[in-house]
Amino acid sequence: MLVAAAVCPCPPLLVPEVAAGAAPELDAARDACLDAVGVLAASRPDLLVVVGPGDDRSAGPHPAGARGSFRGVGVDLDVTLGDAPPDAAAPDRPLPQSLTVGAWLLGRARWTGAPVEGLAVAESEATRECAEAGRSLARRAERVALLVMGDGSACRTLKAPGYLDERAAAFDARATEALGSADLDAIAALDAALARELKAAGRAPWQLLGGAARDAGLAGRLLYEDAPYGVGYTVAAWS
């Protein structure tokens, strides 16, 4: 059963070494993410799964010990997702960006709790399939926690990666309200086609969370919401 969840954005800029001189601009977001991870630790889960968007090649499970890197964004920094069992073979697939940021965040929080695994969800995954994947995850252990990585629309301003789309602010407002209040029906109602048009990569992971939380009775709390660099970032904690 799902006992806690943390919702965090996944831009590499969360990593101070990547942001360099602009690092202070996301201090509030980093602090909120660490607070959300603290809620996961307090829930004392038996299993923590880091969930985030991925492409067709990276979609699927990523075991403990999988490695990710920020070399692609110009920083000589590697991270590992949890601790692999001593006799486990080295994972042959690198983590996608979203799970790499999640692994970095857990390292920053000095996670020492439950075993950690990863799951990348294809951004094209339909709402129903996302919800079913979430229900399956929630059955993995008696006490399951999720660290859900995902950004809102990348079309919030003229200088945003996806340029300005007038629909983006309203979409992000609906998503943020739903995530902050753990409104499962509102999360399920997020339009997948519109999310793709608005480059909202968090839609599929959020809807997976909605499926995992069915019948869990969790309450949500919004910790942060902003759109620096024209991309919607939301941090929330469910417990």
Side-chain angles (χ1 to χ4, degrees), residues 59-71:
H62 290 263
R67 296 183 65 81
S69 175
F70 293 99
R71 298 174 192 268

Side-chain angles (χ1 to χ4, degrees), residues 37-62:
V37 172
V39 172
L40 301 182
S43 73
R44 304 181 66 83
D46 301 316
L47 173 67
L48 172 64
V49 183
V50 183
V51 180
D55 58 24
D56 291 340
R57 289 183 298 175
S58 64
H62 290 263

Side-chain angles (χ1 to χ4, degrees), residues 106-159:
L106 290 176
R108 179 94 166 194
R110 301 182 184 276
W111 180 268
T112 57
V116 180
E117 298 178 10
L119 177 65
V121 187
E123 293 182 43
S124 59
E125 195 78 4
T127 297
R128 180 177 298 178
E129 282 69 29
C130 291
E132 180 53 43
R135 287 189 287 269
S136 296
L137 272 187
R139 295 192 291 264
R140 287 280 311 280
E142 185 173 342
R143 299 180 65 81
V144 176
L146 298 182
L147 173 55
V148 181
M149 311 298 295
D151 300 340
S153 174
C155 302
R156 292 282 295 271
T157 66
L158 290 172
K159 294 184 178 180

Side-chain angles (χ1 to χ4, degrees), residues 122-130 167 171 174 186-207:
E123 293 182 43
S124 59
E125 195 78 4
T127 297
R128 180 177 298 178
E129 282 69 29
C130 291
R167 303 169 295 174
F171 177 91
R174 288 192 297 272
I187 291 171
L190 293 173
D191 188 290
L194 178 59
R196 284 194 298 273
E197 293 175 13
L198 298 177
K199 303 185 185 303
R203 189 277 311 173
W206 297 338
Q207 290 185 327

Side-chain angles (χ1 to χ4, degrees), residues 28-42:
R30 291 186 197 97
D31 290 345
C33 288
L34 291 173
D35 288 344
V37 172
V39 172
L40 301 182

